[in-house]
Amino acid sequence: MDYARMRAIAEDLGAYAERLEGAWRVEIGPSGPVLAMRCPSKRRAGIVRRVREQLDAQLLSTLPGHICANGPEIEHPAIGRMRHPDAVVIPEATLDEEGLAVDATQVLAAVEIVSPSGPSNDYDEKLADYPAMDIPYYMIVDPRTGTIQVHSDPFKGRYSSKEPYIFGDSVQFGPWTVETSEFRRYGRAVSGARPA
């Protein structure tokens, strides 16, 4: 199936998802368009916010005109993929362009926070798709295990570098540093609070 047809199906699925209860996302993966329910988590949202705030503060000096955004879909029609990262580093101006998705060639970094129930999408499919899209940096944050992986240097459709970290580390993510001491694992209480 050609990408234009897959994109049309994805748009129809997106319109259908808007009528459903809960949070849904549409992506185009290796087997075509997929409608998947999101597993919202306060801790997941907290990590996304912390990553975005830290990267935005550093982007002011490292790459003026760029932001860390959550929400935009990214697509690469040449390889037939459309993904919805938890956060991306992109030129701010791309959010004012026409269309539904950001061209993946504009994306400098992608961040995924592993959901409590579906790690394979981030560790397998997106770990294959993001280097194929030539995205320079990909960070996987896993609140299930308290671990982080930073992938970089895409070469022939794969990342040639992988650096492991744990929650509490200062994570080198491309030209930026992400402090993770306030990241929280799923199911772990925080000083008297009930688990999320």
Side-chain angles (χ1 to χ4, degrees):
M1 183 182 314
D2 71 353
Y3 185 75
R5 179 75 180 122
M6 286 192 291
R7 189 67 166 94
I9 293 170
E11 288 177 20
D12 289 345
L13 285 172
Y16 173 73
E18 289 177 7
R19 297 188 304 268
L20 299 174
E21 288 188 31
W24 296 84
R25 75 172 187 274
V26 177
E27 295 184 327
I28 300 174
S31 51
V34 176
L35 175 64
M37 186 171 200
R38 290 180 179 247
C39 297
S41 161
K42 293 183 292 183
R43 292 207 173 154
R44 186 174 192 218
I47 292 171
V48 171
R49 181 187 59 80
R50 288 178 176 98
V51 168
R52 285 186 55 229
E53 286 178 353
Q54 291 184 53
L55 292 180
D56 274 339
Q58 295 171 63
L59 285 163
L60 291 172
S61 60
T62 59
L63 286 168
H66 286 70
I67 59 168
C68 183
N70 68 324
E73 294 170 339
I74 62 173
E75 70 179 336
H76 197 299
I79 65 167
R81 297 291 188 273
M82 182 179 74
R83 292 298 187 175
H84 192 116
D86 290 316
V88 289
V89 174
I90 53 176
E92 186 171 16
T94 61
L95 297 178
D96 294 326
E97 296 172 354
E98 288 292 326
L100 299 174
V102 172
D103 183 335
T105 61
Q106 302 270 349
V107 178
L108 300 179
V111 178
E112 296 289 358
I113 315 304
V114 177
S115 71
S117 60
S120 65
N121 194 30
D122 299 322
Y123 282 113
D124 298 329
E125 293 183 14
K126 292 182 180 181
L127 188 54
D129 288 348
Y130 291 159
M133 292 178 172
D134 208 29
I135 296 172
Y137 305 104
Y138 175 35
M139 180 166 63
I140 304 172
V141 180
D142 194 338
R144 299 168 317 132
T145 59
T147 58
I148 300 161
Q149 294 179 4
V150 173
H151 298 269
S152 60
D153 304 318
F155 181 72
K156 294 186 178 182
R158 296 175 55 124
Y159 285 114
S160 58
S161 179
K162 171 184 160 186
E163 295 295 327
Y165 297 92
I166 60 171
F167 283 19
D169 287 345
S170 294
V171 174
Q172 191 63 44
F173 184 43
W176 315 290
T177 301
V178 177
E179 298 297 338
T180 67
S181 61
E182 294 185 9
F183 288 12
R184 299 289 176 251
R185 292 179 63 177
Y186 297 137
R188 299 273 174 131
V190 181
S191 43
R194 290 183 295 174

